[in-house]
């Protein structure tokens, strides 16, 4: 996911409203962390403000008035005790004079103080060290504990804890880990960056110059946090922009960090850098470098509909199967829903309808994830977090819960460490049902787009019960060996089946993952070329007959032994090199470098793969694998079809913090100007619509010339194609802004589905039905003008 998490904590907000008369504001507060209570407890509040008599009303998520009555208001605070509540999400409103204050509260299932289950499968991405302030860390940890959520995902900045090569100051990361540890919550931590001093000089990349630095800090971190951090992840989403280099470089980071983390704490599982795009060439190439012995748990991210989870995970599982790693645990470590913040001064909060959408999403997301074969599911994200206008959080800045947080708690308590048994087959149209084996017996989880009556067989003789999305229990009468209930968008759970199934089920069902007994080699190789890269395709871009230098670094993380071996270069057919072997000897904790030179030959756009294999007796030192492709802009089209740049056919669009203008230049060029008056996400794209849809079939891509008002590497010029279903495919990397005319070629095969658009059921761009194209840019500048000319569809091979 494209984001940059802030280092500072978020701002606290007041629970009260300022009085228009200038008197003290009416406030409603409690001592409960985030106004989170356990079912059966008596919620206690304090009402403060000018002395007066007031009224209160407590309303449930479902719109029912649960309680109402009189309340005193005092400057020093007057008590307000509510009746014990069942699990749910509630709004407490207090009115005094002309003022009304409303606060949120959540009531979660009571797990009777039992220790959190280390094997629990429902978890949350907390990112507490980055997303909440120091005064909230222990409160947040307590809320997670009360909710019965056994695992959190955290964030770690190497650059922050090690500002110089000699320094290590664990700072807030230690405080946060200790806060969760004190509550019995397990922490899995993720490296997210590198310090300036460790990076390769002259390159805009977080990649480190010497992997031994990464080894040393990971070893130190794993040792230091052995009691408080139970699992580690090497990097966040290296398959996209968080790591701008290719898989050949990242393989070295994965291997060095694994060795360092295991040297520091051999008992903590290590996850590979999370994948977030769906199976792609980066993922395949990473495994080809031999990373299988260098991770214990596979992890992935998704921001799509729960119905898509199984399809995406099946792609990853195929890759794991190819490398005999499918039996390992699989964690879905980020799964969330994108909902626009529309409320509040900064438009940072969700409106009531979207709070409901988030709540309705939580349970199907968790259930679909576990059903697809995931061993542990982490919802993204727990705290308030606004990114580019999208609100992901389950809490408000003051830690009060949204309904989705209580729903996640119910999932953790009702499914917990349950095993998936299958999908219910005989359900009414539009109803989805999954069955799990849990400590309560077999449990059915049901939801539907519209309220629907469902009847299930039950022959256990045990009492049957329905738990709503928040965990509120209601007995179900059994009539003729069956129970009937209404199912709607908020999922519900049905228990009481014992060991019986509530009807026929279908698979597939994946067995629980098992941690491997890896035997990673302390010697491995890492390769790279200093060439332009196509991150989307994980390739280096070259021109035909270009002389290429490919550097291979050989690392030996054995602290006592020297190792010798041979490197062998494997080239595609027709490519030539003056030499294809190199001997190397590496001392303990040493590094040696060898360089291979070769000539690229070819005329088409296909990938060509170069391998350097390492032969060290008695060791599986792996390989360095790199893909190369010819730069499409250097090829002459064999066929072209012009597309109009007449200003009358285009419609400019821009983010809400700017104004767009377009015009026709003196020589027919299309001119698009964007001016931004506020910070935030800045994008401007102009759209050419096709009605009826047009066919681009038979063409390889689009070609155009573009000139920008300024040279700016960070401004990315992009092209998008839209389908009639609303799905849009875009160029992830784009082209940099140049003040001189440049020819750009974007290939359709490189376009990627945009998660900002509608889902696409078949998961691919359909060139037979193109409803729109878009040209424009994302920029950080206050103003950007782009001129386009010679826009054409092109066939290149």
């Amino acid at each position: 996911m494209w984001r940059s998490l802030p280092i500072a904590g978020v701002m606290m907000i007041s629970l009260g409203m300022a009085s228009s008369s200038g008197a003290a504001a009416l406030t409603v507060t409690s001592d409960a962390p985030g106004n989170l209570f356990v079912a059966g407890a008596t919620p206690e509040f304090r009402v403060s403000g000018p002395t007066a008599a007031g009224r209160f009303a407590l309303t449930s998520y479902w719109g029912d008035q649960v309680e109402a009555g009189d309340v005193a208001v005092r400057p020093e605070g007057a008590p307000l005790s509510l009746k014990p509540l069942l699990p749910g999400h509630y709004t407490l409103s207090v009115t005094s004079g002309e003022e009304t204050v409303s606060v949120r509260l959540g009531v979660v299932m009571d797990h009777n103080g039992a220790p959190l289950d280390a094997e629990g499968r429902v978890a949350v991405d907390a990112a507490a060290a980055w997303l909440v302030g120091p005064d909230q860390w222990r409160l947040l940890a307590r809320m997670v504990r009360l909710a019965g959520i056994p695992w959190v995902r955290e964030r770690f900045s190497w650059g922050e804890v090690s500002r110089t090569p000699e320094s290590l100051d664990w700072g807030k990361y230690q405080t946060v880990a200790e806060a969760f540890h004190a509550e019995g919550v397990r922490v899995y931590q993720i490296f997210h960056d590198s310090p300036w001093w460790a990076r390769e000089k002259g390159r805009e990349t977080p990649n480190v110059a010497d992997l031994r630095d990464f080894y040393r800090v990971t070893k130190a971190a794993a040792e230091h946090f052995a009691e408080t951090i139970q699992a580690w992840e090497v990097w966040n989403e290296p398959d996209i922009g968080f790591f701008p280099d290719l898989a050949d470089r990242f393989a070295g980071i994965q291997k060095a960090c694994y060795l360092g983390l295991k040297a520091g704490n051999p008992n903590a599982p290590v996850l590979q850098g999370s994948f977030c795009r769906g199976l792609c060439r980066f993922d395949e190439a990473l495994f080809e470098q031999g990373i299988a012995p260098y991770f214990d748990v596979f992890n992935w991210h998704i921001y799509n509909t729960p119905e898509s989870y199984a399809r995406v995970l099946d792609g990853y599982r195929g890759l794991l199967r190819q490398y005999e790693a499918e039996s390992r645990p699989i964690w879905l470590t980020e799964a969330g829903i994108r909902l626009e913040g529309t409320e509040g001064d900064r438009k940072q909060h969700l409106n009531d309808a979207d709070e409901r959408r988030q709540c309705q999403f939580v349970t199907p997301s968790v259930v679909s994830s576990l059903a697809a074969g995931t061993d542990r599911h982490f919802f993204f994200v727990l705290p308030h977090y606004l990114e580019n206008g999208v609100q992901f959080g389950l809490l408000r800045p003051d830690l009060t819960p949204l309904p989705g947080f209580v729903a996640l708690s119910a999932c953790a308590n009702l499914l917990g460490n349950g095993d998936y048994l299958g999908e219910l087959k005989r359900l009414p149209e539009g109803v989805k049902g999954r069955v799990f084996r849990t400590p309560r017996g077999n449990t059915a989880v049901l939801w539907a787009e519209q309220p629907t009556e469902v009847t299930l067989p039950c022959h256990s003789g045990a009492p049957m019960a329905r738990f709503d999305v928040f965990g509120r229990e209601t007995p179900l009468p059994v009539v003729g060996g069956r129970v009937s209930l209404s199912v709607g968008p908020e999922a519900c759970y049905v228990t009481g089946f014992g060991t019986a199934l509530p009807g026929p089920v279908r698979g597939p069902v994946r067995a629980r993952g098992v941690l491997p007994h890896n035997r990673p080699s302390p010697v491995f190789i890492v390769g790279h070329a200093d060439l332009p890269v196509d991150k989307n395709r994980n390739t280096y871009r070259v021109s035909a007959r270009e002389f290429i230098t490919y550097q291979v670094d050989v690392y030996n993380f054995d602290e006592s032994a020297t190792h010798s071996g041979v490197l062998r270069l494997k080239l595609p057919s027709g490519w030539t090199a003056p030499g294809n072997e190199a001997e190397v000897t590496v001392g303990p904790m040493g590094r040696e470098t060898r360089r291979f030179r070769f000539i690229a030959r070819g005329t088409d756009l296909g990938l060509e793969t170069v391998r350097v294999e390492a032969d060290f007796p008695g060791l599986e030192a792996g390989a360095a694998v790199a893909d190369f492709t010819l730069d499409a802009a250097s090829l002459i089209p064999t066929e072209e079809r012009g597309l109009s740049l007449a200003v009358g056919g285009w419609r400019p669009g821009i983010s809400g913090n700017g104004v767009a203008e377009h015009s026709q230049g003196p020589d027919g060029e299309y001119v698009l100007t964007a001016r931004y008056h506020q910070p935030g996400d800045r994008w401007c794209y102009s759209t050419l619509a096709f009605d009826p849809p047009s066919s681009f079939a038979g063409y390889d891509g689009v070609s155009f010339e573009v000139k920008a008002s300024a040279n700016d590497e960070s401004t990315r010029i992009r092209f998008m194609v839209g389908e009639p279903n609303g799905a849009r495919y875009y160029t992830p990397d784009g082209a940099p802004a140049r003040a001189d005319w440049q020819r750009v070629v974007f290939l359709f095969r490189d376009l990627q589905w945009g998660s900002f658009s509608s889902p696409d059921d078949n998961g691919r761009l359909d060139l037979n039905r193109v409803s729109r194209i878009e040209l424009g840019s994302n920029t950080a500048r206050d103003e950007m003008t782009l001129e386009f000319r010679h826009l054409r569809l092109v066939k290149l091979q």
Side-chain angles (χ1 to χ4, degrees):
M1 177 179 183
W2 291 97
R3 63 182 158 276
S4 178
L5 295 175
I7 298 296
V10 297
M11 183 183 300
M12 297 287 289
I13 65 170
S14 170
L15 292 176
M17 298 170 56
S19 170
S20 59
S21 65
L26 178 65
T27 62
V28 180
T29 59
S30 81
D31 290 332
N35 289 346
L36 189 69
F37 302 90
V38 173
T42 300
E44 302 280 356
F45 287 86
R46 290 184 303 278
V47 182
S48 303
T51 301
R55 291 282 298 173
F56 78 91
L58 183 69
T59 307
S60 76
Y61 172 90
W62 311 104
D64 303 324
Q65 183 169 287
V66 178
E67 188 178 356
D70 297 325
V71 61
V73 182
R74 299 285 185 269
E76 68 277 13
L80 170 58
S81 297
L82 302 177
K83 297 176 182 177
L85 296 173
L86 296 171
H89 186 267
Y90 301 88
T91 299
L92 173 63
S93 298
V94 175
T95 299
S96 177
E98 296 183 357
E99 284 191 88
T100 298
V101 168
S102 296
V103 297
R104 312 294 189 88
L105 60 144
V107 179
V108 294
M109 298 177 69
D110 184 3
H111 45 91
N112 299 316
L116 297 175
D117 186 355
E119 302 302 317
R121 306 180 69 182
V122 182
V124 70
D125 190 332
W130 286 9
L131 294 187
V132 302
D135 57 334
Q136 296 178 316
W137 290 334
R138 296 193 181 281
L139 296 175
L140 188 74
R142 180 62 177 160
M143 291 179 69
V144 174
R145 170 73 175 86
L146 289 173
I149 297 172
W151 281 83
V152 294
R153 185 176 190 242
E154 266 302 314
R155 295 296 191 283
F156 184 88
S157 169
W158 178 15
E160 189 176 354
V161 304
S162 181
R163 299 190 184 278
T164 68
E166 298 79 21
S167 66
L168 273 178
D169 180 2
W170 305 114
K172 64 184 179 184
Y173 301 105
Q174 178 167 332
T175 306
V176 170
E178 290 173 347
F180 283 115
H181 181 69
E183 296 292 345
V185 178
R186 289 154 183 84
V187 176
Y188 122 65
Q189 184 60 275
I190 171 176
F191 277 84
H192 223 282
D193 69 352
S194 60
W196 63 269
W197 57 263
R199 298 182 180 185
E200 296 180 357
K201 302 301 183 285
R203 297 187 72 242
E204 292 294 327
T205 173
N207 197 27
V208 296
D210 190 334
L211 292 176
R212 290 172 294 185
D213 290 327
F214 228 146
Y215 174 92
R216 283 187 281 267
V217 73
T218 51
K219 180 181 179 182
E223 285 177 337
H224 182 81
F225 291 103
E227 295 298 320
T228 55
I229 292 178
Q230 286 71 39
W232 294 87
E233 181 182 339
V234 170
W235 201 270
N236 185 61
E237 298 178 352
D239 52 348
I240 60 170
F242 281 113
F243 187 81
D245 292 311
L246 304 185
D248 55 357
R249 285 182 183 262
F250 185 73
I253 290 180
Q254 180 69 43
K255 295 176 182 181
C257 289
Y258 185 85
L259 294 173
L261 291 165
K262 287 297 185 180
N265 181 6
N267 297 317
V270 177
L271 290 70
Q272 101 292 353
S274 44
F275 293 166
C276 68
R277 289 175 50 191
L279 184 63
C280 63
R281 180 55 192 156
F282 180 95
D283 311 340
E284 296 168 341
L286 190 59
F287 273 78
E288 289 171 16
Q289 327 272 336
I291 70 154
Y294 297 89
F295 74 93
D296 303 311
V297 176
F298 177 81
N299 88 111
W300 62 298
H301 297 171
I302 192 167
Y303 291 84
N304 205 333
T305 60
E307 291 78 13
S308 68
Y309 292 3
R311 173 179 56 81
V312 176
L313 182 54
D314 282 347
Y316 291 136
R317 288 176 61 187
L319 180 64
L320 293 171
R321 193 177 305 119
Q322 184 180 346
Y323 291 89
E324 300 181 351
E326 193 196 2
S327 63
R328 300 180 193 186
I330 296 174
W331 293 5
L332 176 49
T333 54
E334 283 189 26
I337 180 172
R338 290 181 168 91
L339 297 168
E340 185 178 354
T342 60
E343 306 301 302
D345 294 340
R346 296 172 49 221
K347 293 187 176 181
Q348 59 179 324
H349 303 302
L350 300 180
N351 58 39
D352 291 344
D354 281 341
E355 285 188 7
R356 286 183 174 273
R357 286 185 60 198
Q358 184 192 63
C359 180
Q360 293 165 359
F361 171 85
V362 167
T363 310
S365 175
V366 173
V367 169
S368 299
S369 167
L370 300 180
T374 295
D375 291 285
R376 181 162 290 128
H377 178 101
F378 291 76
F379 184 90
F380 183 87
V381 63
L382 177 56
H384 170 93
Y385 177 51
L386 188 73
E387 176 187 278
N388 297 330
V390 174
Q391 178 56 254
F392 289 96
L394 290 173
L395 305 177
R396 289 206 165 201
D398 60 1
L399 300 187
T400 52
L402 300 187
F405 177 70
V406 186
L408 186 68
S409 171
C411 242
N413 283 279
L414 288 165
L415 296 184
N417 191 19
D419 290 308
Y420 177 62
L421 298 178
E423 178 184 2
L424 280 169
K425 293 169 62 175
R426 297 174 184 172
L427 292 174
E429 184 177 356
V431 178
K432 295 180 174 61
R434 306 289 188 270
V435 184
F436 291 82
R437 182 189 299 113
T438 78
R440 298 174 186 268
N442 290 346
T443 298
V445 190
L446 304 164
W447 67 94
E449 291 184 7
Q450 301 294 331
T452 306
E453 286 295 314
V454 173
T455 300
L456 298 174
C458 55
H459 305 288
S460 68
M464 300 296 296
R466 176 189 188 273
F467 291 80
D468 72 9
V469 70
F470 303 121
R472 178 175 180 172
E473 182 178 4
T474 305
L476 284 176
V478 180
V479 179
R482 308 181 75 82
V483 293
S484 296
L485 67 154
S486 178
V487 175
E490 286 85 359
C492 65
Y493 310 78
V494 181
T495 66
F497 298 103
T499 59
L501 291 172
V505 298
R506 55 174 165 251
V509 176
R510 175 181 179 265
R512 290 277 191 104
V514 178
L515 290 173
H517 298 286
N518 286 333
R519 299 182 63 186
S521 169
V523 176
F524 60 82
I525 65 175
V526 186
H528 75 273
D530 289 325
L531 291 169
V533 302
D534 181 342
K535 176 68 176 180
N536 188 47
R537 299 186 68 207
N538 192 64
T539 64
Y540 294 102
R541 293 197 301 268
V542 297
S543 301
R545 301 184 180 277
E546 181 176 353
F547 224 128
I548 299 165
T549 299
Y550 194 70
Q551 177 175 316
V552 178
D553 294 317
V554 186
Y555 285 92
N556 177 15
F557 286 98
D558 191 323
E559 297 185 359
S560 60
T562 295
H563 295 277
S564 298
V566 178
L567 307 181
R568 294 187 175 90
L569 175 68
K570 306 290 186 180
L571 292 174
S573 176
W575 291 34
T576 58
N580 61 3
E581 285 194 3
E583 296 182 351
V584 61
T585 297
V586 197
M589 294 303 295
R591 180 181 72 170
E592 294 290 333
T593 297
R594 298 292 184 268
R595 292 177 177 86
F596 293 96
R597 301 193 73 201
F598 48 87
I599 297 177
R601 301 181 187 276
T603 58
D604 62 37
L605 296 171
L607 292 177
E608 298 286 5
T609 300
V610 171
R611 295 178 59 89
V612 178
E613 298 176 351
D615 183 3
F616 283 76
L619 298 173
E620 295 291 337
V625 181
D627 293 330
F628 295 82
T629 188
L630 292 179
D631 188 348
S634 68
L635 300 178
I636 299 174
T638 59
E639 184 179 331
E640 297 181 327
R641 172 181 144 195
L643 296 172
S644 173
L645 282 171
V647 69
W650 290 79
R651 186 182 74 255
I654 194 168
S655 51
N657 54 356
V659 176
E661 299 175 354
H662 67 155
S663 61
Q664 208 79 60
D667 296 317
E669 60 271 22
Y670 178 73
V671 182
L672 178 63
T673 298
R675 297 182 179 89
Y676 302 95
H677 48 77
Q678 290 181 356
D681 189 25
R682 294 179 169 188
W683 56 262
C684 179
Y685 288 88
S686 197
T687 300
L688 177 66
F690 300 99
D691 187 14
S694 181
S695 175
F696 289 3
Y699 292 95
D700 294 308
V702 63
S703 167
F704 56 86
E705 293 180 18
V706 60
K707 181 171 71 171
S709 53
N711 288 314
D712 186 1
E713 285 288 330
S714 65
T715 295
R716 308 307 291 184
I717 299 165
R718 292 188 169 95
F719 169 74
M720 291 188 240
V721 177
E723 296 184 358
N725 62 8
R728 290 147 74 191
Y729 290 78
Y730 75 111
T731 50
D733 294 334
R738 297 278 185 265
D740 297 320
W741 286 105
Q742 62 171 320
R743 181 170 179 262
V744 175
V745 177
F746 290 134
L747 300 177
F748 294 134
R749 70 180 184 193
D750 297 338
L751 269 58
Q752 182 176 315
W753 173 74
S755 57
F756 49 81
S757 68
S758 301
D760 194 352
D761 291 339
N762 64 12
R764 59 176 174 78
L765 174 61
D766 183 0
L767 291 174
N768 289 304
R769 289 178 55 79
V770 174
S771 63
R772 61 196 284 179
I773 60 172
E774 298 175 59
L775 283 171
S777 69
N778 293 69
T779 187
R781 303 178 74 89
D782 293 334
E783 183 173 332
M784 175 56 65
T785 296
L786 300 176
E787 300 179 50
F788 297 94
R789 68 186 185 189
H790 306 319
L791 176 61
R792 299 183 177 101
L793 298 174
V794 292
K795 184 175 178 61
L796 298 173
Q797 55 184 347

